[in-house]
Amino acid sequence: AFPGNYDSSYAGNSFLFAAVDTGAGNGDVYRIDGVTAPGQSIATDLNIGAVDNLNNIDVTGLTVSGKTSAVSLMAGGAASTLVYVSKDSGINWTRNRKEPTGQSKTYLLMAANFTGSGIAYAATSGIDSAFSYTSDGGMSWNQLSLIDTRISSNGITDLAVSPDYSRDETLFILTFDS
């Protein structure tokens, strides 16, 4: 993930972020600081799981918003739907209170104006996976569409059309077993 004003031609002041999914719980998010050749770039472990007293967390999704002086980051768990958020370039992290729906592999995308709007999107996998939305900077998520929920053939017990269906096109469905 690259900050909005990333410039690889000026290695002395460039940095980017990388998410690692080892498949064994040993991943994390890293900040990679570029240096002028023949020097070696510096990778710093940002320890996103410290908020949960964890040393390492495999990360599937990583997104960034903002410029190098004030970067917001969002990282999604590989084995969960936990979303970790940093609004200070990865120095401090918080974790969502209400997770996106699903089981694992949380992929994320921040809106272009995330810093002001707090809007971001998540796609997850597994049972009850969905495309979810947040407008509070990633603290709470709600299903938006592409919901992977199965309703059995006997599960729908009643239907109701909205009194204002011609305007809002809303249909209410009552389910029984799921």
Side-chain angles (χ1 to χ4, degrees), residues 3-136:
N5 60 344
Y6 176 80
D7 182 1
S8 64
S9 66
Y10 182 64
N13 192 27
S14 66
F15 61 89
L16 57 97
F17 299 92
V20 177
D21 178 2
T22 66
N26 294 319
D28 218 320
V29 173
Y30 293 85
R31 176 182 162 140
I32 314 293
D33 288 280
V35 298
T36 307
Q40 294 183 357
S41 296
I42 301 165
T44 304
D45 185 345
L46 298 181
N47 294 316
I48 68 170
V51 69
D52 290 327
N53 295 317
L54 299 170
N55 289 329
N56 297 300
I57 295 177
D58 281 347
V59 177
T60 299
L62 179 65
T63 186
V64 63
S65 177
K67 307 231 185 266
T68 54
S69 59
V71 173
S72 292
L73 295 154
M74 204 176 272
S80 71
T81 54
L82 293 176
V83 176
Y84 295 88
V85 179
S86 173
K87 294 184 179 176
D88 58 7
S89 300
I91 297 168
N92 296 294
W93 293 87
T94 57
R95 183 177 48 82
N96 59 342
R97 291 184 302 273
K98 180 182 175 197
E99 299 173 28
T101 305
Q103 283 183 314
S104 63
K105 297 192 190 251
T106 306
Y107 299 95
L108 301 163
L109 177 67
M110 291 174 165
N113 63 343
F114 174 80
T115 305
S117 71
I119 294 173
Y121 305 93
T124 59
S125 64
I127 296 172
D128 290 329
S129 62
F131 182 68
S132 297
Y133 166 88
T134 183
S135 61
D136 64 2

